[in-house]
Amino acid sequence: MDELRDEYPSGWRILVQNESIGYILDALMDALPGSEFTKSELADKAGVSRQSVYSHLDLLLVLGVLEPVEDSSPERYRVNAENDLLELLHQVNGVVNERLAD
């Protein structure tokens, strides 16, 4: 069964299969809506290597949590304040924190 889960991961597994994705998403959840980052700035904020950001940037863009800032040099990426996934992650975070506080 583990092999099947690895071969055909759920959306949840895709988000948690690599520790650095969790750190990046956590940093994006802490960022103000519309915040902009270069890849290096995002790596610093998330506490991950620049290579991790480079490796996962396509996923973050496909998920819509980041969007490219047009005509920026160096390339910058904006936190998509209207992203459903970030909103859901905030809700999950709230439920987990509430239940752990009880």
Side-chain angles (χ1 to χ4, degrees):
M1 187 61 147
D2 291 347
E3 292 171 2
L4 280 176
R5 288 189 190 279
D6 289 340
E7 190 171 345
Y8 303 103
S10 66
W12 174 251
R13 290 257 308 133
I14 290 170
L15 290 181
V16 299
Q17 70 184 349
N18 189 297
E19 187 176 32
S20 59
I21 294 173
Y23 285 122
I24 294 168
L25 288 172
D26 195 50
L28 294 176
M29 288 171 50
D30 285 343
L32 294 173
S35 296
E36 295 181 7
F37 304 98
T38 63
K39 293 173 201 144
S40 294
E41 291 167 344
L42 181 54
D44 288 342
K45 181 162 182 62
V48 300
S49 68
R50 286 191 312 248
Q51 182 59 42
S52 290
V53 172
Y54 283 82
S55 296
H56 303 302
L57 185 61
D58 287 342
L59 174 63
L60 297 168
L61 292 169
V62 167
L63 293 175
V65 296
L66 286 179
E67 53 193 13
V69 175
E70 290 186 33
D71 300 324
S72 59
S73 181
E75 290 179 299
R76 298 185 69 75
Y77 300 89
R78 182 180 300 115
V79 176
N80 183 355
E82 298 177 12
N83 181 264
D84 294 343
L85 178 59
L86 284 179
E87 184 177 319
L88 290 168
L89 289 173
H90 279 288
Q91 290 175 8
V92 168
N93 187 52
V95 169
V96 169
N97 287 337
E98 180 181 296
R99 295 199 179 159
L100 291 175
D102 289 343

